[in-house]
Amino acid sequence: MKPLSLLIPVALLAAYAPAADAPAVPASPVAVKKELLFSDDFEAATPVKEWHKVVPTFAVEKGTLKGTQTRDKTAPAADGKPAVTAHAAVHGLEIPTKDSIVEVKIKFDGATMIDVEFDDRKYTGAHYGHICRAQVRPNGVTIIDERDGNMRNDIYEMKKDPAKKAEVAKLLAGRSATFPVKLEQGKWYAVVVETAGEEMRVSIDGTAVAYLKSSGIGHATKSKIELGVAGKDGYFDDIKVWNAEPAKR
């Protein structure tokens, strides 16, 4: 068990002034735990079989999962080599869920972003089956409905045309929300990501910090959970995935 950082004062996480169009963050959970589907403390001699590489590189180091973004620059095809697109490092789990609670400890060690993502590779209405995600940065948490937002096939293609920027912005209204937080490099934080119906809620060290309700989050089959790291190094530990049901509120 790795030590967590000291609890962040609630004032730093909750007493902020989010953007005018950002939704209020519910004080109570949106999801209730049912059965435990998966857990890993990264202490085993061999990787747990459910893990698989998506975008390298990840490695188990001193009982933690370490991710490092190596595809940090976009490079065109040259000298017989294919083009390379900048992309966060991604590690995947084959854990099908609809509503869930994901608990995981994270630590920034040069990383600029650490996220928990839900995908469905069989879903063809969005680029690469992206459904939704929660991105944690040292200065903010963003929840994104990708299925009906930025990764929806028609919107994904429109984003490539600068002339359609205003049209894309209208289509993306309400499909993501960002909330400021203040996190430090080198400290462990306990992150909880709840999905229930069309709602996603994120807590850090026991304080609710971000929330979004959007149709794509309610996708019935989230077949994969993926962990991502952008920037130098980011660490994960003590991950647990629970099946869940919507909380009665």
Side-chain angles (χ1 to χ4, degrees), residues 5 7-8 13 106 108 136-137 140-141 181-183 188-192 202-210:
S5 65
L7 286 178
I8 307 170
L13 290 174
I106 67 169
F108 293 90
V136 182
R137 294 181 174 83
V141 176
V181 300
K182 187 176 181 179
L183 307 178
W188 286 99
Y189 296 96
V191 175
V192 178
V202 177
S203 300
I204 298 178
D205 283 356
T207 298
V209 297

Side-chain angles (χ1 to χ4, degrees), residues 134-186:
Q135 296 179 325
V136 182
R137 294 181 174 83
N139 64 352
V141 176
T142 301
I143 298 177
I144 309 171
D145 170 359
E146 297 189 308
R147 191 197 75 175
D148 296 343
N150 62 327
M151 291 295 172
R152 198 178 81 184
N153 288 338
D154 57 335
I155 297 175
Y156 184 80
E157 293 302 319
M158 289 170 63
K159 288 193 300 178
K160 300 175 182 179
D161 184 352
K164 295 182 178 180
K165 185 176 180 179
E167 185 178 356
V168 168
K170 289 181 180 179
L171 291 171
L172 292 181
R175 298 301 182 187
S176 67
T178 298
F179 300 80
V181 300
K182 187 176 181 179
L183 307 178
E184 297 181 34
Q185 296 281 341

